[in-house]
Structures are given as structure tokens and as C-alpha cells.
């Protein structure tokens, strides 16, 4: 079974940084598309950042320039570094994995395309 476990969430002051991590078991990051999604209360889940199996990255306009997605294949760990956090970044953040190597389909289709989800980690910016 594939398991994704996020960590690193918490309460942060506006303008500050935060790094989220996602450790996978039963899944190999190297060959698959991975991503971070978030969902704020009363809003739909939205994609934040994606990384292809070859390491290419894509970002949502709302976080571009403030977020960096990366992965450590040896540790099977996915990261999301967020800087200059804003109150509107407050949400539950989810790690997501897909069977495809490239994220183009996930970027277009959104959450329905995700094969595996983590349990989420809360980020609160005030």
C-alpha cells in the first residue's frame, strides 16, 4: 500500500517561511509526478506546486516566486518551501501522488486526477 505522510505545518506569522515534508512508503518518487494541494475552509482543493519524475516543476500563480517544490529521491521525501507567507495561504496542505511520470494531466485535471493523498497538515498564517 502507498502511504504519504505530511509534516511541517503549524502557525506562522505573515511574511515568514515554512517547509512542509511528505514521506512516502510503497511508492517511488523518482518515476512519478508528485504535488502539493491545499484546501481552505469553504473553498475547493487547489493545486499549489507539482514536480515531474524528471524534476521539472510547475507552480500555481498564487504561489509562484514564493514557493519551491523539491524532492529527495534517496529519502523518498517531497518538500514544499514557502516564503513570504500570507494569511490567504492558510489552509490544509496535502501531499499528492500520481501514477504518471509527468504532471501535465494533473495540472489540467486537478484533484480528481490524484491517485494517492496524504492526510494533510494544517498551515495557519496570521
Amino acid at each position: 500500500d502507498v502511504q504519504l505522510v505530511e509534516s511541517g505545518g503549524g502557525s506562522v506569522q505573515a511574511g515568514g517561511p515554512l517547509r512542509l515534508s511528505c514521506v512516502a512508503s510503497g511508492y517511488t518518487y523518482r518515476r512519478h509526478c508528485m504535488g502539493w494541494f491545499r484546501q481552505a475552509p469553504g473553498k475547493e482543493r487547489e493545486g499549489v506546486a507539482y514536480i515531474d519524475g524528471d524534476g521539472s516543476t510547475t507552480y500555481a500563480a498564487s504561489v509562484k516566486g514564493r514557493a519551491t517544490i523539491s524532492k529527495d529521491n534517496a529519502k523518498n521525501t517531497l518538500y514544499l518551501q514557502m516564503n513570504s507567507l500570507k494569511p490567504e495561504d492558510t489552509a490544509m496542505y496535502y501531499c499528492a501522488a500520481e501514477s504518471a511520470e509527468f504532471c501535465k494531466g494533473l495540472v489540467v485535471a486537478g484533484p480528481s486526477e490524484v491517485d494517492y493523498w496524504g492526510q494533510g497538515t494544517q498551515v495557519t498564517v496570521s
Side-chain angles (χ1 to χ4, degrees):
D1 288 349
V2 175
Q3 286 193 327
L4 305 176
V5 180
E6 303 97 332
S7 62
S11 296
V12 187
Q13 286 192 336
L18 195 69
R19 189 175 83 156
L20 306 180
S21 300
C22 173
V23 179
S25 59
Y27 187 82
T28 303
Y29 280 5
R30 183 179 298 111
R31 298 180 182 273
H32 300 282
C33 162
M34 301 287 298
W36 288 96
F37 286 72
R38 68 186 180 185
Q39 188 166 19
K43 294 188 176 181
E44 292 186 354
R45 194 169 295 191
E46 62 176 3
V48 176
Y50 313 84
I51 186 165
D52 291 337
D54 66 359
S56 300
T57 58
T58 304
Y59 297 93
S62 58
V63 301
K64 201 166 188 178
R66 300 188 297 121
T68 302
I69 186 171
S70 61
K71 59 180 179 174
D72 184 329
N73 290 331
K75 296 181 178 178
N76 240 19
T77 302
L78 180 73
Y79 303 100
L80 180 68
Q81 176 72 42
M82 293 276 292
N83 298 319
S84 303
L85 283 163
K86 305 175 182 180
E88 50 263 44
D89 293 318
T90 295
M92 185 73 79
Y93 282 71
Y94 297 91
C95 176
E98 203 196 6
S99 300
E101 181 178 357
F102 298 101
C103 295
K104 184 177 180 180
L106 181 59
V107 172
V108 171
S112 62
E113 190 75 6
V114 173
D115 292 316
Y116 305 103
W117 290 104
Q119 83 287 351
T121 185
Q122 178 67 36
V123 173
T124 302
V125 185
S126 59

